[in-house]
Amino acid sequence: MPNDLKVYLELRCIDEWRTNDGDLRRYFSFEIYLPIPQIDETTTVEIMRILGDHDSLLEEQINSNIDDEENTYFDRFLEDKDETAKLVIKEALVKTRRYKKSIINDLKKEYEGKCQVCQYTSYPEHHIDIVEAHHIDLFSKTIDNSPQNIVILCPNHHRLIHTGNFVFNRANLSFMNNSSTLKISLNKHL
């Protein structure tokens, strides 16, 4: 492989420690360096020797787009790489929720996979519902998984309620923020 087409990988051990059990843990970081190749006729011939003549599309692309004034398709592709991208592996404590999933599943069945706001039924032809349970009062603060604290929503309304900072008004069964209101149109349990 020609030197100007090689990719360089730098792997670094950032941190190393032992757990309470005596296991060795390491925190790694890696970076990929991709030099911008200088495509010339010799390099093209070398690429074709490695890949074989059957890859005429690559040969045509490389040979037809070499131009000193403009970036080639191949150069633009290489330049578009995100040089800041990396994979970082961490060990951490994770907080997980524990509750009876059957309460949520029973509500989903009760509403037949429909959103309580728009009544949209997702993918009935595939026998799949993608409705989600939304805890009216944050579960992380109240630890309340009762049906009176759960609304069944389609993914769009669920994301909208979280992103739009909607607050639930129990008096008129609606989610409200500064600019709009989302009324519960299907209710069997609130």
Side-chain angles (χ1 to χ4, degrees):
M1 178 69 70
N3 285 337
D4 59 349
L5 293 181
K6 289 184 179 175
V7 175
Y8 301 95
L9 175 68
E10 179 183 326
L11 182 64
R12 286 180 279 158
C13 181
I14 304 296
D15 196 8
E16 183 176 284
W17 68 96
R18 293 218 176 259
T19 65
N20 291 340
D21 298 332
D23 293 335
L24 180 64
R25 299 284 189 223
R26 290 190 176 111
Y27 172 75
F28 288 98
S29 168
F30 75 86
E31 304 249 352
I32 297 175
Y33 299 99
L34 190 61
I36 298 174
Q38 299 298 316
I39 305 291
D40 58 15
E41 189 173 338
T42 306
T43 303
T44 304
V45 169
E46 183 67 15
I47 291 171
M48 296 320 299
R49 186 187 64 74
I50 293 167
L51 297 176
D53 289 332
H54 63 278
D55 199 343
S56 60
L57 180 62
L58 180 61
E59 179 180 354
E60 179 183 322
Q61 188 67 46
I62 292 172
N63 288 334
S64 67
N65 287 327
I66 294 176
D67 187 347
D68 291 337
E69 297 297 319
E70 297 179 16
N71 285 337
T72 65
Y73 171 81
F74 193 61
D75 288 340
R76 284 193 307 272
F77 172 78
L78 293 176
E79 290 172 0
D80 284 345
K81 295 291 186 188
D82 181 1
E83 295 173 8
T84 64
K86 63 177 105 175
L87 178 65
V88 177
I89 300 171
K90 292 183 183 180
E91 183 175 305
L93 295 175
V94 178
K95 187 189 318 184
T96 59
R97 298 176 181 196
R98 290 192 178 233
Y99 51 75
K100 287 184 183 175
K101 186 86 167 148
S102 62
I103 293 172
I104 292 170
N105 291 336
D106 289 345
L107 283 172
K108 287 181 176 185
K109 284 178 191 171
E110 181 67 30
Y111 288 100
E112 300 172 346
K114 292 182 181 179
C115 174
Q116 285 186 252
V117 172
C118 67
Q119 298 187 30
Y120 175 72
T121 303
S122 53
Y123 304 107
E125 67 276 13
H126 299 293
H127 307 290
I128 297 171
D129 76 69
I130 58 171
V131 290
E132 302 170 349
H134 173 74
H135 287 88
I136 296 168
D137 297 319
L138 292 176
F139 179 82
S140 60
K141 293 188 180 191
T142 64
I143 316 299
D144 182 0
N145 193 49
S146 66
Q148 294 75 27
N149 191 41
I150 297 173
V151 177
I152 302 301
L153 301 170
C154 66
N156 289 338
H157 278 113
H158 196 187
R159 180 60 38 225
L160 180 65
I161 285 169
H162 280 287
T163 306
N165 297 318
F166 283 82
V167 176
F168 191 67
N169 182 326
R170 289 189 186 271
N172 63 6
L173 295 178
S174 60
F175 289 95
M176 300 189 309
N177 70 4
N178 292 338
S179 60
S180 59
T181 300
L182 300 172
K183 185 138 181 70
I184 296 291
S185 62
L186 185 61
N187 181 31
K188 298 179 183 179
H189 78 285
L190 294 175

